[in-house]
Amino acid sequence: MTPVLANGCARDTSISVRDTENVLTLTAEAANKKLLAGYCIRPDLEDNAEKWAGQIGKDGWITAPNDQKFRYRLLPAPEIASLPRTALAAFNKAQAGVNCHHPIVFEKPQFVEFKFQDKRYVEAYVNFSDRCPLCGYGAVARFRKTEGQWKMAPEGIEGTWIS
């Protein structure tokens, strides 16, 4: 079901394979600038284990804890098993598909539609991390779809944890 805006225009929030490939490629381009030599990239994607908090309503929208005006819903995305060629091509410092001590593993992107008062927007989140048990590093890239294009959030890639 396509949401209808206040002005009566239908808004398409469906996520395509191209959307998924675009956010993965943009993430790879940004991650390549931050990764040191010696890292390698595992091409296969892992399922995203991130959980979202809130109360799910009958309409499928989740009400954010502590803010009744802010609602969101996870959008279904096409299944993609590995990084697209364009994402792998973005890595020139880190080697793709090579077995090494510091593999960087990407998770499948999550796409979320947000609704705050009368505004709606779609964001994508791509988590990636180093699976090294001694020096683990995690990060997330966040994007917002604006005028049909995915734009990275001003913060760029944000570190989420370091062991």
Side-chain angles (χ1 to χ4, degrees), residues 72-85:
Y72 61 92
R73 64 184 179 146
L74 299 176
L75 298 175
E79 268 300 312
I80 183 167
S82 61
L83 289 169
R85 284 190 305 251

Side-chain angles (χ1 to χ4, degrees), residues 41 78 87 94 96 101 106 119 143-144 148 150:
I41 306 304
H101 185 66
F106 287 80
K119 294 184 175 117
F143 302 89
R144 185 176 288 191
W150 291 102

Side-chain angles (χ1 to χ4, degrees), residues 96-156:
V98 174
N99 197 5
C100 71
H101 185 66
H102 297 284
I104 300 294
V105 179
F106 287 80
E107 293 181 359
K108 295 174 183 177
Q110 281 193 321
F111 296 90
V112 183
E113 182 179 13
F114 292 94
K115 183 168 43 171
F116 181 71
Q117 296 172 341
D118 62 343
K119 294 184 175 117
R120 285 188 179 190
Y121 54 93
V122 175
E123 289 190 351
Y125 299 85
V126 180
N127 294 316
F128 61 96
S129 60
D130 173 0
R131 293 299 196 250
C132 172
L134 298 175
C135 51
Y137 162 77
V140 64
R142 182 170 56 97
F143 302 89
R144 185 176 288 191
K145 195 165 193 179
T146 307
E147 297 176 9
Q149 300 291 317
W150 291 102
K151 308 276 187 202
M152 184 172 270
E155 301 84 21

